[in-house]
Amino acid sequence: MTKTQYLNAFFATLTGIALTLLTLPAQAGQSCGARDEVIERLGVKYGETRRGLGLGAKDRVVEIFASDETGSWTITVTLPDGRTCLVASGQSWEDRVDDLAHMADADA
């Protein structure tokens, strides 16, 4: 797979997540905390490490954490005030890049 194909797949995934997160209220509240504490807990309790990140609406940083060992995954959003909020989580994480060869590097 070419570098362009990997980048296309990565950005397509992040775009989908960012669009989903546009509906988050400006002041998410229930599952938020200091970023370093949230990230430490994801690592210690669930064995998750950061797999990707992007910039969402209103200067929010969107990150995806996952564990190869347990298959758990978590999506977080860090707000401009420094709070990190848990947005979604689940099981059966799979690192994968679909073959987009038919779309990438196409002749114009």
Side-chain angles (χ1 to χ4, degrees):
M1 204 182 256
T2 68
K3 189 175 187 179
T4 301
Q5 292 168 324
Y6 281 111
L7 288 173
N8 284 341
F10 177 73
F11 288 121
T13 301
L14 283 181
T15 299
I17 292 168
L19 289 174
T20 301
L21 296 175
L22 288 174
T23 61
L24 283 177
Q27 298 297 319
Q30 65 207 33
S31 299
C32 301
R35 184 178 187 286
D36 56 345
E37 293 173 9
V38 172
I39 303 312
E40 181 179 354
R41 184 170 183 173
L42 291 175
V44 171
K45 187 169 182 178
Y46 302 101
E48 295 180 3
T49 58
R50 187 169 65 184
R51 301 302 178 92
L53 71 138
L55 187 59
K58 300 180 182 178
D59 295 324
R60 297 174 178 165
V61 177
V62 179
E63 295 174 285
I64 303 169
F65 295 84
S67 169
D68 288 329
E69 186 176 312
T70 66
S72 69
W73 58 267
T74 304
I75 298 174
T76 66
V77 172
T78 301
L79 305 173
D81 67 6
R83 288 180 299 144
T84 295
C85 301
L86 303 177
V87 176
S89 62
Q91 295 297 316
S92 302
W93 176 263
E94 232 180 88
D95 281 325
R96 92 179 251 170
V97 177
D98 291 330
D99 183 6
L100 300 176
H102 63 284
M103 297 174 67
D105 303 321
D107 292 332

